[in-house]
Amino acid sequence: MRQIAVLPYRTTDAGLIEVMLITSRDTRRWVLPKGNRIKGLKSHEAASHEAYEEAGLVGIACPFAIGTYHYRKNRKDGTSRPAIVDIFPFSVTSQLDSWPEQGERDLRWFTPADAADAVDEPELKDILSTFQPPVWNPGFTERLVTAARRHTAERFTIVRWFQALLPKQGNFFAQFEAHAALSVAAADALGKLLQGGSDMPLHCQEIFDRENDADDIIRDVLVDVRKTLITPFDRTAITSLIGSMDDAIDQMNQTAKAITLYELKEFEPQMRDMAGIIVEAARITADAMPLLRDLGRNATRLHSLTERIVKLEGHADEIHDAGLKLLFKAKGEKSPMAFIIGREIYSHLEKITDRFEDVANEIQGLVLDHA
């Protein structure tokens, strides 16, 4: 039998990375929120429904599974049957005060490593142990952005000119990681934005602010590339990587601007699915950035991460085409302006996923050149 599950994750205010496990009702062992497929719902939608029913979780599900694991499902008659579970990453945005199966299970947030130790299934252990939710560390990123702005203000002083002559390797890795963290925050806000609701202006402003912060970082990177004598990679590779990353968050900004301009309040299911892919692509990018510090040791892991981003982009293209076709059938003749606006939003979302694929290609190029 085939089942579906979510891998719920969050980053706390203290910067701690956590995933949620729940206990099964019969054996009380730790498992992911999971269940059987539901007729009329896509697999990730059914998995999201299980997250709500079993744990009261609300969030953004990626429509492309991160992996699968096998286990034996016990029956009431004492027999068991093999089951395969597809796992969908699920960025938790809130937990409700009440839900259908409240009190029937224990719920607990774990670090990914502790969660891997808590579950029984070997394949699930592997997925949890390698899963790295994005670390959005406002303090670290704000310090780097502040430093970038101070750097810009001092750029033309004699002291800065003299320092530019000294050999150094720059701060590129920290800048990559900070920019990726900003993309994660913007992607999360975009995912929430496409859910609709009264907080849409707040989510738009979050995207605008993070894009503005990212601009400060890329400007600083471009200056450092010019003034740094010894760089960890080829200068063109550095500028191409940070440029692709910045293009992704720029497109998120353009999407939020378009939604604000047209005063949209509701979004097609396919748009929300593409937002789920964007959240996942941003998470993977943030996972990849620290690995660039040691390309030789991390080449295999980087290849796996970039391969997933490329596959996500392909999946996003399929969702985009299907959604656009449905939109044309529904709005093309009756409301041409609604179709034109919807097509623009789809175009922005597709461009975001394209830019993340560009990031993956840049990382693959670094691995080929330096690993």
Side-chain angles (χ1 to χ4, degrees):
M1 64 182 298
R2 197 98 188 194
Q3 293 187 310
I4 40 81
V6 293
L7 200 172
Y9 67 89
R10 71 178 185 183
T11 303
T12 67
D13 294 337
L16 298 176
I17 303 167
E18 298 177 327
V19 298
M20 176 177 277
L21 298 179
I22 65 175
T23 55
S24 63
R25 279 185 290 197
D26 297 329
T27 62
R28 311 305 293 180
R29 59 193 177 87
W30 291 108
V31 297
L32 296 174
K34 62 178 174 60
N36 298 322
R37 294 177 175 180
I38 301 174
K39 187 176 181 179
L41 293 182
K42 300 174 185 176
S43 294
H44 69 286
E45 293 172 339
S48 299
H49 183 73
E50 295 297 332
Y52 156 69
E53 283 200 333
E54 297 181 353
L57 299 179
V58 178
I60 305 163
C62 175
F64 190 73
I66 195 173
T68 62
Y69 73 94
H70 297 71
Y71 81 106
R72 296 199 68 86
K73 182 174 177 60
N74 295 324
R75 294 172 167 177
K76 293 181 180 179
D77 61 5
T79 62
S80 65
R81 62 181 300 189
I84 303 175
V85 185
D86 297 312
I87 306 172
F88 298 90
F90 187 81
S91 176
V92 176
T93 57
S94 63
Q95 185 171 16
L96 304 177
D97 294 330
S98 61
W99 57 92
E101 297 183 16
Q102 189 172 12
E104 298 179 23
R105 309 170 184 272
D106 295 329
L107 316 177
R108 186 183 302 175
W109 290 98
F110 295 81
T111 66
D114 289 342
D117 290 337
V119 299
D120 294 334
E121 297 79 11
E123 294 163 316
L124 181 55
K125 284 180 179 290
D126 290 341
I127 292 172
L128 288 169
S129 63
T130 58
F131 182 78
Q132 293 294 326
V135 180
W136 166 234
N137 188 331
F140 167 72
T141 306
E142 287 170 4
R143 287 196 300 273
L144 198 59
V145 170
T146 300
R149 290 171 179 163
R150 184 172 62 249
H151 183 182
T152 301
E154 298 173 350
R155 189 173 300 159
F156 300 108
T157 66
I158 296 296
V159 173
R160 297 300 294 178
W161 176 83
F162 178 74
Q163 289 176 335
L165 300 178
L166 300 178
K168 58 182 69 176
Q169 288 195 343
N171 199 29
F172 298 111
F173 294 120
Q175 290 163 331
F176 293 153
E177 292 163 20
H179 196 290
L182 292 168
S183 292
V184 165
D188 283 347
L190 180 65
K192 295 174 184 176
L193 176 62
L194 266 67
Q195 300 298 318
S198 59
D199 289 336
M200 288 179 64
L202 297 177
H203 301 321
C204 283
Q205 190 59 51
E206 173 75 4
I207 296 171
F208 299 151
D209 290 345
R210 299 292 75 81
E211 191 273 339
N212 186 56
D213 291 340
D215 281 344
D216 290 312
I217 290 178
I218 189 173
R219 281 194 293 267
D220 210 38
V221 169
L222 296 178
V223 170
D224 285 350
V225 165
R226 291 195 298 270
K227 73 181 183 62
T228 302
L229 182 61
I230 303 172
T231 58
F233 310 126
D234 180 79
R235 298 171 195 277
T236 302
I238 292 173
T239 56
S240 295
L241 175 57
I242 196 69
S244 297
M245 294 169 65
D246 205 58
D247 288 344
I249 198 170
D250 283 345
Q251 282 298 327
M252 296 184 217
N253 190 57
Q254 291 299 317
T255 307
K257 284 184 175 180
I259 290 171
T260 302
L261 173 65
Y262 298 125
E263 299 181 343
L264 300 178
K265 303 297 181 184
E266 297 180 353
F267 303 92
E268 303 297 325
Q270 291 79 11
M271 294 179 182
R272 293 195 295 271
D273 287 349
M274 292 184 74
I277 286 178
I278 291 165
V279 170
E280 175 70 352
R283 179 191 71 79
I284 297 171
T285 300
D287 187 3
M289 287 303 109
L291 303 180
L292 298 181
R293 294 174 182 264
D294 190 343
L295 285 171
R297 181 177 298 175
N298 298 317
T300 301
R301 175 65 176 160
L302 283 167
H303 176 74
S304 175
L305 293 173
T306 54
E307 184 180 37
R308 178 162 170 80
I309 292 177
V310 172
K311 289 181 178 178
L312 285 171
E313 191 278 334
H315 199 58
D317 282 347
E318 295 172 0
I319 295 172
H320 167 271
D321 294 345
L324 199 60
K325 185 175 182 179
L326 290 173
L327 183 66
F328 180 76
K329 288 183 177 179
K331 306 290 186 181
E333 295 183 0
K334 298 179 182 178
S335 182
M337 185 55 67
F339 170 72
I340 292 171
I341 293 172
R343 182 177 62 183
E344 180 175 343
I345 301 302
Y346 271 122
S347 177
H348 284 305
L349 294 171
E350 183 185 32
K351 287 177 181 176
I352 299 170
T353 61
D354 287 344
R355 299 296 79 78
F356 276 117
E357 184 184 27
D358 292 341
V359 173
N361 291 334
E362 293 295 338
I363 294 172
Q364 288 177 343
L366 288 174
V367 173
L368 289 174
D369 290 341
H370 298 277

